[in-house]
């Protein structure tokens, strides 16, 4: 069983438990459920945007603990001040050390900042959770979902006023994915079967295949600001980066340095 398969199996059990503890009707009573969302797509396309979606991530299956000493309010607010176009918050607890509280705290500290709920979404219930917890956008992973499920979850997100980031790894995943409810397409350069590092080669190979009406972002393995320049030249408008910032003592300061070097 691959790591991705293991995560998805655990996620099914987790969602089943969550539904029994907090029914959808209770989620709908959240103060965030009727909130108008901030557009991540617009933030990425805005003139002068850094294009960087900075990630708050405590650990990962491949790296183990990355940074457990920082708090989500300080880091996400610091990201916003440093110039992040948006912030990705991991809510998976078992494999990434995240929680709904992280997203709720990030929302409270950053009311105007586009927030992406980063998790392994397999059920419409999780989309309702995302809205209730203050997310503006959700992540759908093509490698985990059949075409009809991508459509279902994407439609639900749009119904609730959120945007959809569809993550792909290869041409096959792109071709099998319906894009009607997809706003942003992200190419993940990391192998999700084993979470090993790789290069940005997948992004370079897929750039011309992604429809021009979708905002195009590159995810993971962007370990040098010069890579952002290269990716911009082939059409990428966004860059999801987490570990490069989170492994430092001061993630927002690391982000500020990236932005300055990428513009130099």
């Amino acid at each position: 069983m691959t790591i991705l398969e293991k995560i998805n199996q655990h996620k099914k059990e987790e969602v089943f438990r969550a539904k029994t503890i907090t029914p959808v009707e209770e989620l709908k009573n959240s103060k965030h459920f009727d909130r108008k969302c901030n557009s991540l797509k617009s933030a990425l396309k805005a003139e002068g945007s850094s294009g960087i979606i900075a990630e708050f991530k405590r650990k990962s299956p491949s790296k183990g603990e990355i940074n457990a000493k920082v708090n989500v309010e300080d880091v996400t607010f610091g990201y916003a001040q440093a110039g992040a176009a948006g912030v990705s918050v991991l809510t998976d607890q078992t494999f990434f050390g995240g929680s709904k509280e992280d997203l709720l705290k990030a929302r409270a500290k950053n009311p105007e900042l586009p927030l992406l709920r980063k998790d392994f979404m397999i059920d419409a219930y999780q989309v309702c959770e995302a809205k209730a917890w203050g997310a503006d956008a959700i992540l759908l992973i093509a490698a985990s979902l059949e075409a009809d499920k991508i459509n279902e979850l994407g439609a639900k997100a749009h119904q609730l006023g959120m945007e959809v980031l569809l993550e792909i790894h290869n041409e096959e995943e792109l071709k099998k994915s319906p894009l009607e409810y997809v706003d942003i397409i992200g190419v993940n350069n990391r192998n999700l079967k084993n979470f090993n590092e790789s290069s940005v080669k997948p992004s370079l190979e897929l750039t011309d295949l992604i429809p021009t009406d979708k905002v195009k972002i590159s995810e993971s393995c962007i370990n040098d600001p010069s890579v952002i320049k290269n990716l911009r030249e082939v059409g990428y408008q966004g860059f999801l980066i987490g570990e490069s910032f989170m492994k430092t003592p001061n993630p927002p300061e690391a982000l500020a340095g990236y932005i300055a070097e990428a513009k130099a």
Side-chain angles (χ1 to χ4, degrees):
M1 181 180 288
T2 67
I3 295 177
L4 181 58
E5 289 170 341
K6 183 178 180 181
I7 291 174
N8 285 333
Q9 180 59 44
H10 184 273
K11 196 61 59 175
K12 290 177 183 177
E13 299 167 1
E14 183 181 293
V15 171
F16 177 80
R17 290 195 301 270
K19 287 179 178 179
T20 63
I21 296 171
T22 309
V24 170
E25 289 305 313
E26 188 172 331
L27 293 174
K28 290 180 179 179
N29 290 329
S30 162
K31 67 178 182 179
H32 297 304
F33 208 81
D34 294 323
R35 179 187 64 89
K36 183 178 179 181
C37 292
N38 306 313
S39 174
L40 178 59
K41 181 178 179 179
S42 296
L44 293 171
K45 294 174 67 177
E47 185 176 354
S49 173
S50 68
I52 295 179
I53 304 171
E55 190 157 85
F56 183 84
K57 176 170 63 175
R58 292 188 177 86
K59 68 178 185 178
S60 76
S62 61
K63 298 295 183 180
E65 185 176 293
I66 298 171
N67 193 337
K69 298 180 180 179
V70 291
N71 73 68
V72 68
E73 294 103 328
D74 288 345
V75 172
T76 58
F77 184 74
Y79 279 159
Q81 296 300 107
V87 167
S88 167
V89 179
L90 267 294
T91 57
D92 174 83
Q93 184 169 19
T94 302
F95 299 92
F96 288 88
S99 67
K100 74 172 184 179
E101 285 77 18
D102 285 340
L103 186 51
L104 287 166
K105 289 177 181 178
R107 176 80 288 152
K109 190 70 174 179
N110 305 279
E112 305 301 322
L113 183 69
L115 295 181
L116 170 73
R117 181 190 180 185
K118 184 83 173 286
D119 211 315
F120 296 82
M121 311 290 279
I122 59 170
D123 192 287
Y125 176 84
Q126 294 169 287
V127 183
C128 293
E129 281 184 331
K131 187 65 190 292
W133 300 348
D136 300 297
I138 62 166
L139 175 76
L140 300 181
I141 302 174
S144 295
L145 303 168
E146 297 296 331
D148 60 346
K149 185 60 71 172
I150 292 173
N151 243 4
E152 176 194 342
L153 300 185
K156 185 64 176 179
H158 277 200
Q159 178 191 342
L160 297 178
M162 293 184 290
E163 293 176 340
V164 175
L165 164 55
L166 177 71
E167 178 178 290
I168 62 170
H169 301 83
N170 52 51
E171 183 177 354
E172 179 184 359
E173 290 178 5
L174 177 60
K175 286 183 175 179
K176 71 107 174 184
S177 299
L179 303 179
E180 180 180 358
Y181 301 107
V182 171
D183 304 283
I184 304 165
I185 295 180
V187 180
N188 192 334
N189 301 299
R190 179 171 286 121
N191 185 334
L192 272 191
K193 292 183 179 179
N194 53 30
F195 280 78
N196 284 340
E197 292 287 348
S198 60
S199 69
V200 295
K201 184 179 178 182
S203 289
L204 298 175
E205 291 177 340
L206 293 172
T207 182
D208 293 333
L209 301 178
I210 297 173
T212 56
D213 64 325
K214 307 299 180 185
V215 172
K216 181 166 37 179
I217 73 169
S218 181
E219 307 174 24
S220 302
C221 307
I222 304 173
N223 299 316
D224 189 282
S226 63
V227 176
I228 292 177
K229 294 182 180 180
N230 296 335
L231 290 168
R232 281 196 186 279
E233 289 175 358
V234 297
Y236 283 89
Q237 296 169 287
F239 317 92
L240 196 155
I241 306 172
E243 190 175 305
S244 293
F245 305 146
M246 289 299 298
K247 67 183 180 182
T248 69
N250 190 327
E253 186 176 86
L255 167 61
Y258 250 65
I259 292 174
E261 286 190 51
K263 289 182 176 180

